[in-house]
Amino acid sequence: MVTAANEAQRAAWRSGGFPEVERVRPGLWSIPVPIPINPLRYVLVYALELPDGVAIVDAGWDTDEAYGALAAGLGTAGYEVTDVKAVLVTHIHPDHYGLAGRIREVSGAWIGLHPADSRLLRDRYDEAGIDDLVARERLLLVRSGVPSSLLDELAGASMMLRHYVTMARPDRLIEDGDLLGLPGWDLRAVWTPGHSPGHVCFVEQERRLLFSGDHVLPRITPIVAVHPQSAPNPLADYLEALAAVRKFDVDEVLPAHEYRFLELADRVDHVIAHHEERLAEIEAVVGAGDGVTCWDAATGLRWARPWETIPPFMRRGANNETLAHLVWLEARGRLRRVAGEPDLWFPA
């Protein structure tokens, strides 16, 4: 359990409500922007005051409701959308990247994104790449042992999310260690792959703050999954990136969801322990069978809700997250895979 930096913000999360727009520090604002059809409910957009406007960390989904909430939040801080000079995107998921293009159209702001995520934009959000992406996802699900009756539904389950994104190529590629050059801010990028290949956090060393995106959250853990656009072993990348941010001596973590919190190192240690427990659980499920598919392993695990109540999009995520753990165990020599359609997993 971590300490909330603002108890009212945590209370809003726990009650199913919506936190207030908040002045976190002099020159720094937290603006909750609603997410439709999603249990996370909102993304926390952070506005950093500049001499001639503001920069924002993440943007929200591209809906009129989200745009209105962001505009109203900026208004509370004394700004308008036209005052946005930069959109620093932690990663390309719709609740972080979706509004970036619309904001640029209105304000002329530059958009910053890590090159590993920039390379994924065409296949993910451009009409020309969608069919190939869905076909590759379908093959992954076949090899995972997903029942044929579910293949088409699960392979295309995320296509609806494309409607919440204004496709926008970044104006600036943000590399690991880059100083962002925002006047009045000592903001440096930290590449933290896993949840997405190009996820970045931003550390403000002078103010002792970490803008953690989805990499480290106060209560839940982000999905780290094998999918057609992931790295070969995303869980290994994620655990290594957790170690990278743990070393920062900060007073407060500003995540993209839930609420701001203290005790970064303790939270990182808890997340690592969670994955170690999950790895042991998956290893035990495989050990109890005689050639187990990824889908069978996923359905045999404990989830936050009964498997039959999990919607298709989240079942696909559960399968692909299970696959990330299987791949990690395979890389460590603890499991072996017999390739096929489906792949079968055995103790090493």
Side-chain angles (χ1 to χ4, degrees), residues 34-98:
I35 307 172
I37 58 171
N38 191 298
L40 290 174
R41 302 198 307 277
Y42 56 83
V43 61
L44 294 170
V45 173
Y46 298 100
L48 290 64
E49 295 184 6
L50 307 173
D52 60 347
V54 291
I56 60 173
V57 176
D58 287 328
W61 293 63
D62 185 12
T63 66
D64 290 341
E65 181 187 13
Y67 183 86
L70 178 59
L74 289 171
T76 299
Y79 298 93
E80 299 179 0
V81 175
T82 53
D83 295 315
V84 177
K85 305 301 180 183
V87 184
L88 313 178
V89 183
T90 60
H91 61 296
I92 61 167
H93 294 166
D95 51 330
H96 301 258
Y97 166 79

Side-chain angles (χ1 to χ4, degrees), residues 3-335:
T3 305
N6 182 324
E7 188 55 46
Q9 193 180 53
R10 178 164 64 177
W13 169 259
R14 286 179 166 177
S15 68
F18 208 70
E20 298 291 329
V21 175
E22 180 188 357
R23 184 174 179 265
V24 177
R25 302 279 177 90
L28 174 60
W29 296 81
S30 170
I31 302 172
V33 175
I35 307 172
I37 58 171
N38 191 298
L40 290 174
R41 302 198 307 277
Y42 56 83
V43 61
L44 294 170
V45 173
Y46 298 100
L48 290 64
E49 295 184 6
L50 307 173
D52 60 347
V54 291
I56 60 173
V57 176
D58 287 328
W61 293 63
D62 185 12
T63 66
D64 290 341
E65 181 187 13
Y67 183 86
L70 178 59
L74 289 171
T76 299
Y79 298 93
E80 299 179 0
V81 175
T82 53
D83 295 315
V84 177
K85 305 301 180 183
V87 184
L88 313 178
V89 183
T90 60
H91 61 296
I92 61 167
H93 294 166
D95 51 330
H96 301 258
Y97 166 79
L99 264 178
R102 187 170 172 181
I103 293 168
R104 182 172 64 186
E105 290 172 2
V106 172
S107 67
W110 59 265
I111 298 172
L113 188 66
H114 190 276
D117 269 11
S118 179
R119 288 192 289 268
L120 307 181
L121 288 173
R122 175 187 175 276
D123 285 355
R124 183 177 289 249
Y125 297 128
D126 193 321
E127 197 67 40
I130 293 299
D131 288 346
D132 178 64
L133 184 62
V134 172
R136 287 188 287 146
E137 179 66 53
R138 194 179 193 281
L139 178 58
L140 183 149
L141 296 174
V142 168
R143 295 192 62 178
S144 295
V146 173
S148 58
S149 60
L150 299 175
L151 283 173
D152 290 338
E153 182 180 23
L154 266 61
S158 62
M159 290 303 99
M160 64 177 181
L161 303 182
R162 296 173 53 242
H163 300 298
Y164 299 110
V165 173
T166 293
M167 175 67 173
R169 296 286 180 186
D171 304 285
R172 176 175 172 182
L173 296 178
I174 299 174
E175 300 277 5
D176 184 41
D178 279 358
L179 278 170
L180 277 299
L182 301 177
W185 294 89
D186 180 28
L187 207 66
R188 186 180 297 274
V190 185
W191 182 34
T192 50
H195 183 55
S196 81
H199 190 291
V200 291
C201 298
F202 301 103
V203 62
E204 218 296 352
Q205 295 176 313
E206 184 176 327
R207 292 173 174 83
R208 299 171 61 83
L209 302 173
L210 178 70
F211 298 87
S212 66
D214 283 0
H215 185 59
V216 187
L217 301 168
R219 192 187 62 89
I220 62 174
T221 56
I223 289 178
V224 178
V226 171
H227 55 80
Q229 291 191 319
S230 74
N233 192 343
L235 183 58
D237 294 341
Y238 178 68
L239 294 174
E240 184 177 343
L242 281 176
V245 299
R246 190 189 188 282
K247 67 183 180 183
F248 290 116
D249 185 14
V250 297
D251 295 330
E252 188 173 327
V253 181
L254 290 78
H257 301 290
E258 301 182 322
Y259 47 86
R260 296 181 289 107
F261 65 97
L262 314 180
E263 303 121 359
L264 170 63
D266 288 350
R267 181 57 185 156
V268 167
D269 291 344
H270 182 86
V271 173
I272 292 173
H274 160 77
H275 282 287
E276 290 174 345
E277 292 172 3
R278 199 60 158 171
L279 288 161
E281 183 184 6
I282 291 171
E283 195 170 15
V285 168
V286 173
D290 183 21
V292 174
T293 69
C294 178
W295 183 257
D296 287 340
T299 59
L301 298 176
R302 291 174 286 112
W303 298 97
R305 65 180 81 175
W307 181 262
E308 60 274 9
T309 68
I310 299 175
F313 176 70
M314 296 179 69
R315 286 192 190 186
R316 190 183 78 180
N319 177 83
N320 294 5
E321 189 169 9
T322 302
L323 183 56
H325 288 74
L326 289 167
V327 166
W328 189 96
L329 289 163
E330 179 186 36
R332 296 305 186 278
R334 290 162 57 176
L335 295 180

